[in-house]
């Protein structure tokens, strides 16, 4: 499950979109916020100032929080990717790697969290045949296949 603003619910069952602060275009999240199962946060970064036509290195960050065991288990993974054409492609790659690791660790009930709104909106739609950037298609397909039976 990829979290997006429209599907995020608080413990009272109402959507957080109902609590949006229009002046800041942000969400107000009341604490404590808890999600059952494993949480996986992903992010990526690329060097600034590169032309869109060139590939570049990207840093990928993956952080698992497994609340299904006591004490709570955390796993932090740093990786590098060569050949990233865009930040969107790097974000999709981080998500694909996270899904493969999640599958290898046999984690279940995992919620994947990303700050890349364009990627989240794409992965939450029913038809994944037209990604925003075709070069990221292999990564979105890996993610989809790895999380299909979760």
């Amino acid at each position: 499950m990829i979290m997006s603003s429209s599907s995020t619910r608080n413990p009272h069952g109402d959507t957080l979109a109902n609590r949006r602060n229009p002046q800041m275009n942000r969400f107000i999240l009341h604490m404590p916020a808890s999600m059952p199962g494993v949480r996986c946060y992903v992010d990526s970064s690329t060097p600034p100032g590169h032309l869109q036509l060139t590939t570049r290195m990207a840093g990928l960050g993956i952080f698992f929080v497994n609340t299904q065991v006591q004490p709570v288990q955390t796993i932090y993974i740093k990786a590098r990717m060569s050949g990233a054409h865009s930040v969107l492609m790097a974000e999709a790659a981080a998500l694909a790697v996270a899904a493969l690791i999640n599958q290898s660790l046999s984690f279940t009930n995992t919620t994947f969290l990303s700050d890349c709104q364009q990627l989240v909106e794409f992965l939450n739609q029913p038809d994944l045949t037209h990604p925003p950037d075709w070069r990221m298609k292999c990564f979105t397909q890996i993610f989809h296949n790895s999380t299909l039976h979760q």
Side-chain angles (χ1 to χ4, degrees), residues 108-123:
T108 58
N109 195 22
T110 302
T111 302
F112 292 89
L113 301 147
S114 172
D115 64 350
C116 184
Q117 183 175 353
Q118 187 177 13
L119 180 61
V120 169
E121 287 174 355
F122 169 71
L123 289 170

Side-chain angles (χ1 to χ4, degrees), residues 18-146:
N18 295 339
R19 296 181 179 199
R20 181 175 248 180
N21 183 342
Q23 288 122 0
M24 296 184 67
N25 196 20
R26 297 186 182 201
F27 297 96
I28 299 169
L29 181 64
H30 297 280
M31 299 304 282
S34 62
M35 279 184 249
V38 178
R39 292 185 308 269
C40 178
Y41 303 89
V42 298
D43 204 4
S44 70
S45 65
T46 57
H50 286 290
L51 299 173
Q52 289 290 348
L53 302 175
T54 63
T55 61
R56 51 193 151 180
M57 297 294 292
L60 310 179
I62 302 165
F63 182 62
F64 286 97
V65 179
N66 184 1
T67 59
Q68 296 174 334
V69 295
Q70 292 301 322
V72 172
Q73 179 184 43
T74 58
I75 302 168
Y76 179 60
I77 300 161
K78 287 172 48 174
R80 286 181 21 165
M81 171 188 181
S82 60
H85 291 275
S86 65
V87 175
L88 186 60
M89 183 180 189
E91 292 278 348
L95 207 50
V97 170
L100 290 172
I101 292 169
N102 183 71
Q103 192 174 41
S104 294
L105 294 173
S106 300
F107 287 159
T108 58
N109 195 22
T110 302
T111 302
F112 292 89
L113 301 147
S114 172
D115 64 350
C116 184
Q117 183 175 353
Q118 187 177 13
L119 180 61
V120 169
E121 287 174 355
F122 169 71
L123 289 170
N124 277 328
Q125 65 184 344
D127 180 16
L128 300 180
T129 56
H130 301 290
D133 180 352
W134 278 101
R135 296 170 291 197
M136 68 182 236
K137 176 68 175 165
C138 62
F139 299 119
T140 58
Q141 194 63 51
I142 289 169
F143 176 78
H144 177 72
N145 292 345
S146 299

